[in-house]
Amino acid sequence: MGRLTLNILLSFAQFEREIIGERIRDKIAASKRKGKFVGGRCVLGYDVDSDNHRLVVNEEEARVVRRVFQRFIETASPQTVVAELKREGVKTKPRKNAAGRSPKEMVWSTSLLYRMLNNRLYVGEIDYKGNVYAGEHEAIVSRDVWEKARAILQENYRTRGNQSRKRHEALLKGLLRCGHCGCAMIHSYARKQGKQYRYYVCANAMKSGYAACALKTVSAGNIE
């Protein structure tokens, strides 16, 4: 009887936990559909108004965001933009943990830049599970600038994506490492004047800009 009672109580406790989780998820989904900010890490360009639970534009950071979008449209090169931001000492969004202390600052990289360029918050929208809703917050970049950046991103994905790279066998894939910084060398290729060139590029240079590594790239044919 004691074990039976314990199992009954555990079943009711599990049921209560699932009900609470379901209610929280429903509340978050309803808030997202209304365009509300429901918490989480604040992105560069916005601050959180704790009284009204809304995102407000941080003008100093918003200027950095607009410049990043504009420079990406002009250069179409994430490595170039990252290198410029690092060279000029532009800071990322300061963060604080639960204790109020600022942990190690995030470093500009191509992955961080891609997340920034794909974030619909900057155009005044909320993205939730594949659905897009109009947000309560003010947009930082215009729709025209957003569409231009998205078009360049899609073109980069088509021409430089992993599926395109898989057309060629990389003999040293997963084996070759950079002799300067020790990072893995990633197989890639480029086209120039109708001719295709294969090469291995340092992962550190690809992530943080070509100025981050003295080796940068090596010819795939020669080293293989």
Side-chain angles (χ1 to χ4, degrees):
M1 287 297 297
R3 288 194 299 270
L4 175 62
T5 303
L6 178 61
N7 289 330
I8 293 174
L9 294 176
L10 291 174
S11 297
F12 273 101
Q14 179 64 24
F15 172 75
E16 185 66 22
R17 283 193 295 269
E18 293 177 359
I19 289 294
I20 292 173
E22 186 174 329
R23 289 173 178 171
I24 291 174
R25 289 190 293 271
D26 290 343
K27 178 64 176 179
I28 291 175
S31 299
K32 291 279 189 178
R33 286 193 291 268
K34 294 179 181 179
K36 296 182 179 294
F37 178 72
V38 296
R41 183 181 301 170
C42 188
V43 298
L44 183 71
Y46 289 103
D47 291 327
V48 179
D49 183 356
S50 56
D51 295 331
N52 298 318
H53 301 286
R54 297 182 63 178
L55 292 175
V56 294
V57 177
N58 183 320
E59 287 300 334
E60 182 178 354
E61 296 178 357
R63 286 193 292 269
V64 176
V65 173
R66 296 187 187 101
R67 181 191 165 195
V68 167
F69 272 86
Q70 190 61 40
R71 287 297 296 153
F72 180 74
I73 293 173
E74 294 171 356
T75 63
S77 172
Q79 289 85 2
T80 301
V81 178
V82 169
E84 290 180 358
L85 294 171
K86 286 186 173 182
R87 184 168 60 251
E88 298 174 10
V90 179
K91 302 294 184 181
T92 57
K93 182 72 175 180
R95 298 178 298 159
K96 290 185 178 180
N97 53 25
R101 295 189 296 270
S102 297
K104 186 177 180 180
E105 184 177 324
M106 294 182 65
V107 179
W108 283 106
S109 63
T110 54
S111 59
L112 178 61
L113 186 69
Y114 278 130
R115 288 199 302 269
M116 183 176 177
L117 295 171
N118 282 299
N119 197 332
R120 288 187 173 272
L121 285 176
Y122 293 122
V123 77
E125 296 176 342
I126 298 288
D127 189 358
Y128 182 67
K129 292 187 176 181
N131 297 317
V132 179
Y133 308 100
E136 292 183 340
H137 59 282
E138 181 183 352
I140 291 180
V141 298
S142 65
R143 174 67 59 176
D144 182 56
V145 171
W146 168 264
E147 294 296 343
K148 289 180 179 178
R150 291 285 295 174
I152 296 173
L153 285 173
Q154 293 300 324
E155 182 65 23
N156 286 350
Y157 290 153
R158 284 195 296 268
T159 58
R160 304 175 188 177
N162 291 331
Q163 292 181 352
S164 297
R165 294 192 186 101
K166 288 178 180 177
R167 296 175 184 174
H168 307 280
E169 289 294 334
L171 299 180
L172 302 179
K173 181 180 179 181
L175 302 175
L176 192 64
R177 303 196 72 84
C178 175
H180 177 73
C181 60
C183 290
M185 300 291 285
I186 301 172
H187 179 258
S188 185
Y189 77 96
R191 292 183 181 274
K192 186 176 182 181
Q193 297 179 350
K195 190 174 181 180
Q196 186 168 277
Y197 299 89
R198 293 195 308 118
Y199 57 91
Y200 289 90
V201 59
C202 174
N204 187 29
M206 180 175 288
K207 180 179 179 181
S208 303
Y210 287 133
C213 181
L215 185 61
K216 298 182 179 110
T217 61
V218 295
S219 172
N222 292 339
I223 197 166
E224 287 172 354

